[in-house]
Amino acid sequence: MFGAVVVGIGTAGLVRIRDMLAPLPASPAEKLAVKGFISRRNLDTQQGVCQISMEEAVSREDINVAFICTENDFHEDHVRTFLQAGKHVCVEYPMTMNHKAAVELWDLAKEKGVILHEEHIELLTEDYKELKRQVQGKTLQDGTLHFTGGSLKPGFGFPSFSGIARLTWLVELFGELSVTAATMEDNSANGYSKMTAKLQTSENRSLTWIEERGPGLPRAKDINFRFDSCTLTQIPPAPRGAVGLFMQDLIYFSAKLAGQVHPKELQREKDRILHCLELADRIKQLCQS
Ligand code: NAD
């Protein structure tokens, strides 16, 4: 069994506790047992789980795993603290707010011989899986992914990092990318921002990623992918899967803990995560220059 602590009791943290208390039967997630949670607030027990201090969590021998579910700005420090203490870490995306720090954390995980896992539930959705099926085998001419959503609360960082799920989709669909230009429209007074990044595939096909947020904007993803044979203008609707997205991620993370994920797959995932963070860094740089 792996004893776990959850850091950050927001939407994601509460789901992590719920899922560990009722894991999918006969899945590797049954090997996780939640031992406590950490919060900046003084909270009552949550779903029967008690609050503990950071000091207690890092020093307890029956706690081997930490789930980092705070705002993005705090991820790096928490991940480092737990890796340093020799604990496995599952961190909600994005792992860090720059590429260099992520490289350091992976190195630290390797040195300590523990698993470092970054959650990417966007890759587990049925919509994405269907889109991936439809894109497979087609040759891209050019494309756009335009995300809209409500204003972000403080602590979630620059849009190329808070929106890394969209970038991850593009990289998983079209392979390694490079950044050719990026601009940012920012009206912080009314919570509106629009980031536009121009990307290029290894075959020099152009992709545009727009991340637009503002009060009242609906959460939506519009696509326009032009292929040699057809154009995709809609994310194919697909029925929800039987297992929740965070539960699927929990099962995958537990499989890593149990040594059931092939090292090649672990390496592929690490390369993709670092590549996306490198792109996010470059986009931020170009927007700010
Ligand atoms: P959230 O705003 O619900 O919680 C974020 C942080 O705010 C937590 O640390 C929580 O302890 C704190 N918090 C919540 N309510 C508070 C209050 N009343 N007073 C003081 N602090 C409070 O955000 P979230 O959706 O849980 O996101 C956490 C992480 O999970 C982020 O990195 C996010 O990118 C990631 N994530 C979330 C989802 C999702 O569906 N919610 C999906 C994928 C990734």
Side-chain angles (χ1 to χ4, degrees):
M1 290 299 287
F2 293 92
V5 62
V6 173
V7 187
I9 299 299
T11 309
L14 287 168
V15 168
R16 292 303 189 175
I17 293 178
R18 181 199 71 192
D19 285 354
M20 275 189 276
L21 291 173
L24 187 74
S27 78
E30 283 188 321
K31 291 269 181 284
L32 282 162
V34 58
K35 302 284 184 186
F37 69 83
I38 294 171
S39 176
R40 285 156 286 180
R41 295 165 283 164
N42 282 321
L43 296 174
D44 291 334
T45 57
Q46 301 287 314
Q47 303 169 63
V49 177
C50 292
Q51 182 161 3
I52 61 174
S53 68
M54 182 63 88
E55 295 68 35
E56 183 179 343
V58 292
S59 59
R60 262 172 67 170
E61 287 193 359
D62 65 335
I63 293 181
N64 332 92
V65 173
F67 286 82
I68 310 302
C69 309
T70 56
E71 299 91 326
N72 299 341
D73 279 349
F74 299 104
H75 289 182
E76 179 187 334
D77 284 351
H78 289 318
V79 172
R80 185 173 283 111
T81 300
F82 281 99
L83 291 179
Q84 201 69 58
K87 317 283 186 195
H88 304 285
V89 171
C90 168
V91 54
E92 311 299 342
Y93 70 72
M95 176 178 296
T96 57
M97 304 308 258
N98 66 80
H99 172 257
K100 184 171 165 277
V103 172
E104 287 167 13
L105 294 181
W106 282 106
D107 288 347
L108 183 57
K110 190 172 176 200
E111 182 194 318
K112 295 285 179 179
V114 292
I115 295 288
L116 173 57
H117 170 79
E118 185 179 75
E119 164 267 314
H120 277 283
I121 55 170
E122 78 281 5
L123 298 177
L124 304 173
T125 62
E126 296 305 313
D127 285 1
Y128 169 74
K129 289 175 194 163
E130 185 51 37
L131 180 63
K132 175 100 181 162
R133 269 192 287 275
Q134 296 206 6
V135 165
Q136 215 116 51
K138 297 190 172 75
T139 308
L140 181 76
Q141 301 299 312
D142 54 57
T144 302
L145 170 59
H146 183 170
F147 171 85
T148 58
S151 313
L152 270 184
K153 289 180 271 184
F156 282 82
F158 195 77
S160 56
F161 289 91
S162 60
I164 206 136
R166 268 68 71 187
L167 188 54
T168 303
W169 263 30
L170 291 176
V171 167
E172 278 286 325
L173 290 171
F174 302 113
E176 289 213 344
L177 302 172
S178 53
V179 186
T180 56
T183 55
M184 178 80 172
E185 238 180 276
D186 197 359
N187 189 340
S188 21
N190 69 3
Y192 176 82
S193 68
K194 184 177 181 183
M195 182 197 79
T196 304
K198 297 281 182 191
L199 307 164
Q200 205 165 58
T201 68
S202 56
E203 274 90 41
N204 298 330
R205 303 300 179 182
S206 78
L207 280 169
T208 304
W209 169 31
I210 302 168
E211 191 79 8
E212 186 178 17
R213 285 187 175 273
L217 281 181
R219 194 177 170 88
K221 283 195 271 307
D222 279 334
I223 58 163
N224 192 301
F225 295 148
R226 216 162 52 83
F227 298 98
D228 48 351
S229 52
C230 67
T231 300
L232 274 181
T233 56
Q234 257 194 340
I235 295 172
R240 269 184 167 207
V243 180
L245 297 174
F246 277 99
M247 181 66 86
Q248 288 185 49
D249 180 67
L250 192 72
I251 294 168
Y252 185 43
F253 174 54
S254 321
K256 288 183 181 177
L257 295 177
Q260 294 167 357
V261 178
H262 198 283
K264 265 196 186 150
E265 181 50 28
L266 295 178
Q267 185 63 44
R268 196 190 79 84
E269 212 178 306
K270 174 182 165 187
D271 290 346
R272 187 206 69 225
I273 289 168
L274 290 177
H275 175 61
C276 288
L277 288 171
E278 202 167 14
L279 294 174
D281 249 353
R282 181 78 188 125
I283 292 169
K284 184 178 173 188
Q285 248 173 32
L286 287 171
C287 286
Q288 291 178 343
S289 65

